[in-house]
Amino acid sequence: HWMLDKLSGAFAPRPSSGPHKLRESLPIILFIRNRLKYALSYDEAKKIVMQRLIKVDSKVRTDLTFPAGFMDVISIEKTSENFRLIYDVKGRFTIHRITPDEAAYKLCKVTKQCTGPKGVPYVVTHDGRTIRYPDPLVKVNDTVQVNTATGKIMDFIKFESGNLCMITGGHNIGRVGTIVHVEKHPGSFHIVHVKDSVGHSFATRLGNVFTIGKGNKPWISLPKGRGIRQTIMEERDKRLAA
């Protein structure tokens, strides 16, 4: 899903350990070299990164293989560009440019919620952030809107039917739709039924669902295609029309 050819896939840079999982991340070098084409080689990419030009979630990262993952904001101040890593419908990370206002925050899915020492409540998000004293209404699987500069929660979206979500794993990766209902299977995987704006409905596991908006209004801008998977015929017709 990094879209590498045969040899560069065999010698691909291994993402360092970091906020995102190895299988669900994209090293910064691939973003600079293979997506944006700002560098031709590993060396050039290294020179760019070492000038402290690249920020991930408003923190300068000089590690070439730093794992940037879903929802991360990559900003390059020199070119005043901001990108958010989002899956397209084929499950690849796209180059998705965003406005500076939107680059100030990211959405994080709450993965754990517990109390720390001295009874301080905290939640852990999908990108390894620990946020103390969250709103008491925030539960696991909800999405919180985090200000990347301060790391504070600005707002949150409950995980409930009727909200807009994006699928971040499995066969339907990158699709966007509204949650219809959740089948509970204690001891096994909970299944979520999702319906997209064209009316296709599909089902996936609870772990793959990431709420991105209340009602049908997304809180982040979506890449082109709006997260709606087309059939092969529709894709062909669209290509021929273009």
Side-chain angles (χ1 to χ4, degrees), residues 92-231:
R92 309 175 290 217
F93 281 120
T94 49
I95 306 179
H96 178 52
R97 293 170 195 264
I98 52 177
T99 57
D101 318 337
E102 203 195 325
Y105 64 87
K106 63 182 293 196
L107 300 182
C108 300
K109 178 175 168 178
V110 176
T111 51
K112 278 205 297 211
Q113 176 195 29
C114 37
T115 45
K118 300 199 176 148
V120 173
Y122 70 92
V123 293
V124 180
T125 60
H126 79 284
D127 57 350
R129 292 165 184 270
T130 306
I131 304 172
R132 301 173 57 177
Y133 297 116
D135 188 308
L137 296 173
V138 174
K139 298 277 177 277
V140 173
N141 294 324
D142 293 353
T143 298
V144 290
Q145 184 182 4
V146 176
N147 181 334
T148 51
T150 58
K152 297 277 186 292
I153 295 182
M154 291 153 46
D155 205 348
F156 65 97
I157 311 168
K158 296 296 294 173
F159 178 82
E160 55 202 5
S161 44
N163 281 349
L164 198 68
C165 68
M166 189 165 200
I167 311 299
T168 58
H171 197 268
N172 290 314
I173 187 166
R175 294 178 75 171
V176 172
T178 43
I179 302 170
V180 182
H181 74 276
V182 183
E183 284 176 29
K184 295 278 169 66
H185 295 292
S188 175
F189 295 101
H190 296 339
I191 301 294
V192 181
H193 288 269
V194 184
K195 187 173 186 182
D196 68 14
S197 54
V198 193
H200 306 305
S201 46
F202 51 97
T204 184
R205 289 178 178 177
L206 180 67
N208 296 337
V209 177
F210 191 116
T211 44
I212 56 169
K214 288 195 172 131
N216 47 16
K217 176 121 182 44
W219 283 11
I220 51 164
S221 56
L222 296 173
K224 61 173 190 283
R226 299 256 154 243
I228 290 153
R229 174 174 294 173
Q230 297 176 312
T231 58

Side-chain angles (χ1 to χ4, degrees), residues 15-31:
S16 11
S17 51
H20 290 274
K21 290 204 169 74
L22 174 71
R23 298 265 170 222
E24 297 156 13
S25 61
L26 181 77
I28 296 185
I29 169 176
L30 287 186
F31 193 73

